[in-house]
Amino acid sequence: MLTYAQGDQVPMYKKFFDQCSADTGYTFEQLQVPANDLLNKAVQLTASGSGPAVILADNQMIAGLANAKALAPITLGSLSASDFVEGPLKSGQFDGKQYGLPVGNNGEVIVYNKKLLADAGLAVPTSWDTLTAAAKALTTSDRYGFGQTFQGGETLSWNYWAQLWSAGGSIAKLDSPAAVESATFWASFLKDGTAPQASLQWQSDNLISEVAAGRLAMAQVGTWTLSKLLSEAKDAGVDIGITTQVSKSGDAPVVPFGGEVMAAGASATGDALKAVNDCIVSWSSDTAGLAERDEFLGYLPSYIPAQAAVLKATPYLQVLSDQLADSRGRTEEVGPNYQSRTVAVSTALQQIATGAATPEEAMKTAQTSAAAADK
C-alpha cells in the first residue's frame, strides 16, 4: 500500500491491513512517501511494473491517478451507494468508474466567539454581506473580526472554492465574472483590515489560538482543529460557536471536503484485485471499526451508518455532517486538471490580498496559467 500516513496513523493502518491479510491470504505492506510526492511516485512505480496494489491518496488526487492509468476499478461489494454521502463517494470516481472508497472526511467551518457576537447584537453570519458586516463591527484596536488561512497552497484554494461556487462560478473558468467577484470578496478582509496580515502565513492551528485568546472574533478553520480549539477556549473561559461556511446569498453553501480515498492500484489483477476490493469494502462494512478509526483520524465517516457513533463522541462535527450533504469534490469540474488550478488560484488570491494585482488581472493570469498546464 502506497500512503503518506505518518506518526500514529501508521500502526492504525497496519492493524487494519493485517486483518485484510488474514481475511484474504494476501500480504499488505505500507510504503510511506511525502504527500506531495505520492501521485508521481504511484505513476512511476506503476509504469515500472512494480505499482502498489492499494493507494491511499487525498481525494483530489484520484482523477489524476486514474487518468494516468495507475488505478483499477472496483465494485461496492455488499455496500450500497445510497449508504454514502454523495460528494465523498463520487470523489473515488473518474469517467464513470469507481476506483476507491472514502476513508473519511474533514472540512472547514466557521467558529465564533458567542459572547462577542451577542454583545454586538449580531446574528451568526450566513452570507457575504452579514460576514463582512460582522467582521467590521467586531474589529477593534486589539481584536480582528475575521480570519482565514491565506498562506499559499492547497489550503488557501480549498477554503475559497465554496465562495466561487456560491457565486455561480466554476473551477474550470477562473477568469469568469463569478470568479473575480468571489475572489474579491474572499480577499476583502485582508484588504480592509478586519483580518490580520499574519493570515498570509497562518494555517488553522494559528487561527484557533487567536480565537481562544479573544484576539480574533471569528475564523474559518479546519475541523481537525476543533477539539483543540474547544479545549483551549474552555480553559480561557471563551464560549465557542460553530457554523457552516457562508455563501453569497446566505443559502446552504456547497463546500469542498478533505480526506483520503482508499483506491485499488492498477497492478492488482485477478484474485489479487478481488482481495484488494474486499479489503477496501471492509473499511466501511465494519461499521464499528470505521467509526473508531475515523474518530482517531479526526474524520467524519461518509459511510452514513457509521456517522452516528462518531457524532455521539464528537458532537461538534455535526456542522461538518450538515455541510457534507451539500458538498462537491474538488475534481468534479476539471478532473485531472485540478492541480494546475489549485496552484494558479492560490497565487491569484495572494496577489489580490496584497495588492500585487487587481482581481481581474490576477484571475485572468490564473486561468491562462492553469489552461496552459491542462492535460
Side-chain angles (χ1 to χ4, degrees):
M1 180 187 77
L2 183 66
T3 175
Y4 53 72
Q6 297 179 342
D8 292 343
Q9 293 181 7
V10 175
M12 185 275 293
Y13 281 115
K14 182 179 185 304
K15 180 180 178 181
F16 172 76
F17 280 100
D18 283 350
Q19 186 59 54
C20 284
S21 295
D23 292 342
T24 65
Y26 284 82
T27 300
F28 293 87
E29 296 180 349
Q30 295 184 62
L31 172 62
Q32 282 87 30
V33 298
N36 290 338
D37 296 340
L38 187 139
L39 196 154
N40 287 337
K41 187 68 172 179
V43 172
Q44 291 167 3
L45 288 173
T46 302
S48 71
S50 56
V54 180
I55 301 175
L56 190 68
D58 189 271
N59 61 70
Q60 50 95 3
M61 297 180 184
I62 295 301
L65 288 166
N67 190 59
K69 311 300 183 186
L71 299 181
I74 65 166
T75 69
L76 297 183
S78 61
L79 306 177
S80 170
S82 62
D83 285 333
F84 287 87
V85 180
E86 183 179 8
L89 178 64
K90 290 173 68 175
S91 71
Q93 300 172 2
F94 179 68
D95 276 355
K97 296 180 180 179
Q98 193 81 39
Y99 289 96
L101 295 177
V103 167
N105 298 104
N106 55 25
E108 290 207 344
V109 295
I110 290 179
V111 297
Y112 58 93
N113 185 313
K114 288 184 177 181
K115 185 176 187 303
L116 291 178
L117 264 72
D119 288 350
L122 295 167
V124 177
T126 58
S127 67
W128 290 6
D129 287 345
T130 54
L131 182 60
T132 299
K136 290 179 178 178
L138 295 170
T139 297
T140 65
S141 60
D142 59 356
R143 183 182 67 230
Y144 288 97
F146 181 65
Q148 79 270 62
T149 296
F150 243 82
Q151 186 180 75
E154 171 62 18
T155 304
L156 172 52
S157 54
W158 182 53
N159 72 33
Y160 157 72
W161 295 136
Q163 308 314 320
L164 172 69
W165 291 332
S166 82
S170 167
I171 297 176
K173 189 67 173 172
L174 296 177
D175 59 351
S176 68
V180 172
E181 181 187 25
S182 55
T184 302
F185 163 70
W186 203 230
S188 67
F189 303 96
L190 280 159
K191 297 280 285 183
D192 67 15
T194 57
Q197 289 297 308
S199 298
L200 291 165
Q201 288 82 43
W202 279 357
Q203 292 284 347
S204 287
D205 281 335
N206 307 105
L207 291 165
I208 63 168
S209 295
E210 297 299 301
V211 173
R215 294 187 293 267
L216 193 57
M218 305 178 293
Q220 183 167 308
V221 301
T223 53
W224 58 91
T225 65
L226 292 179
S227 177
K228 183 180 178 183
L229 167 61
L230 294 173
S231 176
E232 290 184 5
K234 182 179 180 181
D235 291 343
V238 175
D239 194 8
I240 298 296
I242 305 171
T243 190
T244 64
Q245 295 181 45
V246 298
S247 67
K248 181 180 178 180
S249 64
D251 293 335
V254 177
V255 301
F257 47 86
E260 289 77 38
V261 168
M262 189 178 295
S267 67
T269 59
D271 290 342
L273 178 57
K274 182 180 184 305
V276 167
N277 200 143
D278 290 346
C279 181
I280 292 172
V281 168
S282 73
W283 177 271
S284 294
S285 62
D286 173 18
T287 306
L290 172 60
E292 180 180 347
R293 291 187 294 269
D294 272 6
E295 185 180 343
F296 171 81
L297 291 167
Y299 286 158
L300 183 69
S302 50
Y303 184 61
I304 297 169
Q307 277 196 7
V310 175
L311 290 174
K312 183 177 180 180
T314 53
Y316 52 81
L317 291 180
Q318 182 61 55
V319 172
L320 174 61
S321 177
D322 296 341
Q323 284 193 160
L324 285 176
D326 292 297
S327 61
R328 180 181 297 165
R330 286 167 280 174
T331 61
E332 278 192 32
E333 297 170 320
V334 292
N337 294 320
Y338 177 76
Q339 293 300 322
S340 60
R341 277 162 171 73
T342 183
V343 171
V345 84
S346 169
T347 300
L349 288 167
Q350 283 211 316
Q351 289 175 334
I352 298 167
T354 60
T358 67
E360 292 79 8
E361 291 169 344
M363 298 306 281
K364 181 178 180 179
T365 299
Q367 176 62 25
T368 300
S369 172
D374 280 354
K375 299 175 182 179

